[in-house]
Amino acid sequence: MKTAAIIAEYNPFHKGHAYHIEKTRQETGADYIVAIMSGDFVQRGAPAFMDKYDRARAALLSGCDLVVELPVIYSSSSAEFFASGAVALLTRLGVCDFLSFGSEEGRLDQLSFLADLLVSEPEEYRLLLKEQLKKGLSYPKAREIALSIYCKSKDFCQFSNEFWDCLKQSNNILALEYLKALKKQKSPMTPITISRKNTSYHDKNLYDGISSATAIRHFFLEHEDLSPLNNCVPESTYVAIKKCRANHCFLDVDDLTPYLHSTLLHSLPKGTIWDLNQELENRLSRLSWATLTFSEIADQLKSRQITGTRISRGLLHLILNLSESFFMEQYERNPAPYLRVLGFCKESQPLLKAIKANSQIPVITKPAQGKTRIPSLDYPVFEMDLRAGRLYQSMIFQKSGCRLPDPLSRSPLVIKKDSVINKDVAR
C-alpha cells in the first residue's frame, strides 16, 4: 500500500488543488492521499475564509482519502514551523511514503540543493546572512540575498536569474521548508514536487480553470455575482461559497478587531507572545488602537525588518494567549502530540487500519477523546485548538448569527467517494 501526503490550507479548495491531488496520485502511484490541513486559522494570521469542515469535504470529494487538522500552533506560525510541525506529524502517522508539494518551477534538484545548504549553514553563508540582517532587512529577504550571493560566489551555475526571482514565491519558500524539515527529521517520506499551473499564490486575477485562493477570496468580497467562480472551483466548493454568501458566514482578518481590542484593554501578558517580540509589544502598548481595525494596527506596527504577515500572526497569538515559551517548550519536547481527523472516505478503511497499527501518536476522531488519549503534558496544545475553534465559532456568530457546533462536539465527516467524487479536475 502506497500513501502520499499533502500539506495544505485549502482556503478555499479550488481546481488547482484538485489538479495537485490528481498529479500526486499519478506521479507516485499512491493508493491513498492524506491531506494535513490548517483548521480555523491560517499562516498569514487570519481566520480561514470558510469553515474547516467545508474545506475538508471539498478535498475528500476531489480525491483525498483522509483529511487531518494541523494544530493551530503550527497553522498560524512561520513557514519554517508550519512545515516542520506538519512533517513531524505526518512522519509519526507511520503510513506516508511520499510528501507532495507545489512549487513554481517544479525543480526538485535545485530546491533540494538549497535545502541542504540551509540545513548545513556553511560559515560563509551565516556571515552573509548576518550582514544582510544588519542592514535592517526582514529575515526572508536577508536569507534570499545571502543565498544568492553565496551560490554565485561558489559558481553554482545551475541557478538562473529566473530561479532567484521564483525563490521569492510563496510555494518555493514553503517547498524549501518542507525539504529542510524532511532532512532535519530524517523522515522516510520521499519528496516530490508538482509545478504550479497558470497562476502564482498571490495572483489576484481570476481565470477560467485554475485561479489562486487569493483571487477567489478577493473576487468573493468584491462582486455580487459569484457565477464566474464556478469555472475555477469544484462544485462542492461553489455550493459552500454560495451558502457562505447567503448566510454571511465568511471571515476576513478584520473580523478579529473586537477580540484584539478586548485583549488590549488589559495589560499585555508577561513574557513574549509567539511572533510578537518585546519591541513589538512595547510599540503596541504605546499605540492608540481604539479606533483602528486589526489590519490597521498590524500596518502601523509593520517595519522594514518585520513583515506584516508576521505581525498579524503575533496579534492572533496575543488574542489566543499563545506564548513563545509555550510553543518552543512543546516543539522541543514533542513536536507531534496528536492528530485530529476532520474527515475520511468510507472506502479508505484499509488506510485507517494501517494508521491504527502504525501510528506513533494518538489519532483523535472525536474531540471528546482528547482528554483520555492525549498525554497530559501535550493536552494544552489540544486546548489551544479548542480555544481557536471557539474563537472562530464566536466570530461567525457575531458576524452572521450562524451557530456552528461546539468544537468539542464535532465528529469527522464520512464521505462515500465512489458515488459522489467530483470529476471536474482542471486538466
Side-chain angles (χ1 to χ4, degrees), residues 126-144:
R126 287 203 301 270
L127 292 173
L128 286 167
L129 178 62
K130 191 179 294 185
E131 181 183 327
Q132 297 304 316
L133 289 170
K134 282 181 179 178
K135 293 178 181 178
L137 299 177
S138 66
Y139 182 83
K141 185 64 178 175
R143 188 178 77 166
E144 173 199 326

Side-chain angles (χ1 to χ4, degrees), residues 36 70-71 74 80-90 181 185 331 335-336:
I36 184 166
L70 183 63
Y74 295 130
E80 178 183 3
F81 289 106
F82 178 92
S84 58
V87 167
L89 289 159
L90 290 169
Q185 298 176 30
Y331 182 78

Side-chain angles (χ1 to χ4, degrees), residues 61-101:
L61 294 178
S62 294
C64 281
D65 298 283
L66 171 68
V67 179
V68 294
E69 182 175 0
L70 183 63
V72 71
I73 65 169
Y74 295 130
S75 75
S76 63
S77 284
S78 66
E80 178 183 3
F81 289 106
F82 178 92
S84 58
V87 167
L89 289 159
L90 290 169
T91 298
R92 287 162 179 76
L93 198 58
V95 298
C96 298
D97 303 291
F98 303 93
L99 178 63
S100 173
F101 47 85

Side-chain angles (χ1 to χ4, degrees), residues 41-53:
F41 293 89
V42 296
Q43 199 200 347
R44 60 191 177 94
F49 176 66
M50 291 168 54
D51 179 54
K52 61 192 175 188
Y53 286 91

Side-chain angles (χ1 to χ4, degrees), residues 33-261:
I33 304 286
V34 175
I36 184 166
M37 186 188 80
S38 300
D40 298 300
F41 293 89
V42 296
Q43 199 200 347
R44 60 191 177 94
F49 176 66
M50 291 168 54
D51 179 54
K52 61 192 175 188
Y53 286 91
D54 286 333
R55 289 148 51 221
R57 181 187 300 277
L60 292 168
L61 294 178
S62 294
C64 281
D65 298 283
L66 171 68
V67 179
V68 294
E69 182 175 0
L70 183 63
V72 71
I73 65 169
Y74 295 130
S75 75
S76 63
S77 284
S78 66
E80 178 183 3
F81 289 106
F82 178 92
S84 58
V87 167
L89 289 159
L90 290 169
T91 298
R92 287 162 179 76
L93 198 58
V95 298
C96 298
D97 303 291
F98 303 93
L99 178 63
S100 173
F101 47 85
S103 63
E104 269 72 24
E105 285 197 339
R107 290 291 305 274
L108 187 61
D109 55 343
Q110 293 185 341
L111 290 168
S112 187
F113 180 87
L114 290 180
D116 282 333
L117 275 179
L118 292 171
V119 170
S120 62
E121 286 199 320
E123 178 65 19
E124 189 176 338
Y125 162 74
R126 287 203 301 270
L127 292 173
L128 286 167
L129 178 62
K130 191 179 294 185
E131 181 183 327
Q132 297 304 316
L133 289 170
K134 282 181 179 178
K135 293 178 181 178
L137 299 177
S138 66
Y139 182 83
K141 185 64 178 175
R143 188 178 77 166
E144 173 199 326
I145 293 173
L147 270 176
S148 176
I149 294 172
Y150 179 81
C151 289
K152 288 173 182 176
S153 73
K154 299 298 181 184
D155 198 26
F156 296 144
C157 56
Q158 69 264 45
F159 300 111
S160 64
N161 289 331
E162 290 78 12
F163 177 80
W164 292 113
D165 288 338
C166 281
L167 198 57
K168 302 171 187 176
Q169 303 280 355
S170 298
N171 282 279
N172 274 349
I173 291 169
L174 271 174
L176 276 177
E177 295 300 339
Y178 295 143
L179 290 166
K180 280 173 57 185
L182 290 170
K183 294 170 188 295
K184 284 183 175 180
Q185 298 176 30
K186 296 180 172 56
S187 173
M189 289 188 290
T190 300
I192 71 158
T193 186
I194 308 296
S195 181
R196 189 177 179 93
K197 287 189 69 174
N198 298 352
T199 178
S200 71
Y201 181 87
H202 294 296
D203 191 340
K204 294 183 181 180
N205 296 310
L206 200 69
Y207 306 100
D208 283 348
I210 294 178
S211 293
S212 71
T214 301
I216 293 166
R217 293 194 303 269
H218 276 266
F219 187 91
F220 178 96
L221 294 171
E222 294 172 3
H223 296 82
E224 286 297 320
D225 179 15
L226 300 181
S227 58
L229 293 180
N230 200 24
N231 297 321
C232 49
V233 298
E235 180 64 21
S236 52
T237 297
Y238 188 58
V239 169
I241 282 176
K242 289 196 296 182
K243 180 182 172 184
C244 280
R245 170 61 63 80
N247 296 327
H248 209 63
C249 54
F250 54 90
L251 295 178
D252 198 10
V253 69
D254 280 336
D255 293 310
L256 281 165
T257 298
Y259 303 91
L260 179 57
H261 284 189

